[in-house]
Amino acid sequence: MEKSEKNIVEKKDTNIRIWLYSIVFIVFASLSVFLIFKYVDKKSSMEETINYSENGTIDYKVSLKDNDYYEGEFVEQNKIYIASLIDKIEIDFDYDFNIDRDIDCVFSYDIYSELIIKDGTSDREYIHKKYNVQSNVENIQNIKNYDFVKHVSIDYDYYNMLASKFKGDYGIDTESYLRVMFVLKKDNKDVTLNDSSMYVDIPLSERAISINTSPLGTNTYKQLVDASGENNSGIGYIIGLVFIIVMMVVVLFLLVSKLYRKRSKYQKHIAKLLREYDRMIVEVSSVPNLDDKERIIRISEFKELLDARDNLKLPIMYFERIKNKEALFFINDSEHLYLYVVKDREEV
């Protein structure tokens, strides 16, 4: 089928645009991949392994009331103690912290006691009451090592009296003890530090007791952190990457819409005729005089034009009078102009 110079130019322009969109899309996609790998590589280079360790121990001694059996004022730990002779229990929570590099850290600790009275057989609790003993916040600057000892003095007589009175008043079988808790929280903007805790269990309402401790022991931790100390070091890369991805999506949308633009019924009908009757149709750049009404024979269906072509042995001419709006198919002989008109507003 012959094509007019106008359509050839339009098709070339469309192809150029498609190639241009494709090139721009490939450039943006390549740049996005490059930035992703560069950002990941930068983040990897900014990370380092940080090791830190902590150790927590508990020491205690029992202060005695005046008595005829013990010579000293205190009895050291890990002994069996006569409950009626105990005055106070002196406890030291010893904590030591070490890390690979200097950091600023906020250490927040709480020491509290919990009076727990349980049923002697079912292990269900009658009373679980908390008493605040000590609390403090220490903001320590530029440290690699930090250690401290927190001392508390527990009035054993007071808690033992509460537990014994409860047991005696209600005549029930109970198991009672006082748990003295040490809880430490550590806060640093670069390194995530675990909370720590240790405690001492002191039996109550018994004739003789043995004190149990649960120290922290030694713990070692390892983690990856930002070596630059800047949490927003990759924001520039992220913003640039988001911008490029958005631009890439826009270009891809333009490319797809150019390739798969929805066609009207008129366009589909014209394309079908040109495709199915390609050998019978000749595209021309002009039309004969349409003012001579007497020689024009208007045809309502394209198949009638095909019949006329078979009878006259002449080609069917095609001319798009208004782009994507109106097309003329005609056969021109010496006497008549057989004309079939397709318009966008018509049901085709």
Side-chain angles (χ1 to χ4, degrees), residues 4-198:
S4 66
E5 182 179 352
K6 179 181 178 182
N7 286 337
I8 293 174
V9 171
E10 288 178 351
K11 186 172 183 180
K12 286 184 177 179
D13 181 62
T14 299
N15 290 337
I16 290 173
R17 288 185 181 182
I18 291 174
W19 275 106
L20 180 61
Y21 290 154
S22 300
I23 292 172
V24 173
F25 176 78
I26 292 172
V27 170
F28 277 120
S30 301
L31 189 55
S32 297
V33 172
F34 170 75
L35 284 179
I36 290 173
F37 279 103
K38 186 172 181 179
Y39 176 67
V40 171
D41 181 66
K42 179 178 177 65
K43 288 297 290 180
S44 298
S45 65
M46 293 191 310
E47 290 178 340
E48 68 175 359
T49 301
I50 294 296
N51 297 298
Y52 75 92
S53 64
E54 60 181 358
N55 178 262
T57 59
I58 300 173
D59 292 314
Y60 69 89
K61 56 185 178 180
V62 176
S63 171
L64 300 178
K65 301 174 183 177
D66 291 336
N67 64 89
D68 297 327
Y69 304 100
Y70 293 91
E71 295 181 356
E73 181 182 355
F74 296 98
V75 177
E76 299 302 322
Q77 62 186 25
N78 299 324
K79 305 287 186 178
I80 296 178
Y81 311 98
I82 305 300
S84 60
L85 296 181
I86 299 174
D87 182 20
K88 298 182 183 300
I89 299 176
E90 310 292 338
I91 303 173
D92 289 326
F93 293 102
D94 191 345
Y95 179 81
D96 183 64
F97 175 82
N98 294 277
I99 194 166
D100 283 351
R101 71 177 192 189
D102 290 336
I103 64 168
D104 298 337
C105 189
V106 177
F107 293 89
S108 305
Y109 76 88
D110 285 293
I111 301 176
Y112 57 90
S113 60
E114 294 176 307
L115 174 61
I116 301 169
I117 302 177
K118 303 189 298 182
D119 179 72
T121 56
S122 67
D123 208 38
R124 294 182 180 180
E125 293 181 354
Y126 290 115
I127 292 178
H128 191 143
K129 189 173 181 180
K130 180 178 177 180
Y131 302 84
N132 292 322
V133 180
Q134 283 185 27
S135 63
N136 196 16
V137 177
E138 299 181 15
N139 192 348
I140 310 300
Q141 306 291 319
N142 200 32
I143 62 161
K144 279 187 177 181
N145 172 262
Y146 183 63
D147 63 88
F148 55 80
V149 178
K150 302 301 177 183
H151 176 80
V152 293
S153 180
I154 301 299
D155 186 350
Y156 179 80
D157 241 2
Y158 172 76
Y159 296 106
N160 190 52
M161 178 269 297
L162 290 177
S164 298
K165 187 173 187 305
F166 182 86
K167 184 177 182 179
D169 286 348
Y170 299 103
I172 54 178
D173 182 20
T174 62
E175 179 184 340
S176 308
Y177 62 95
L178 184 73
R179 173 165 290 181
V180 183
M181 289 289 304
F182 171 89
V183 179
L184 177 68
K185 296 182 179 181
K186 305 175 283 292
D187 184 38
N188 175 267
K189 65 179 181 179
D190 297 324
V191 184
T192 302
L193 303 171
N194 294 335
D195 295 343
S196 309
S197 64
M198 43 188 168

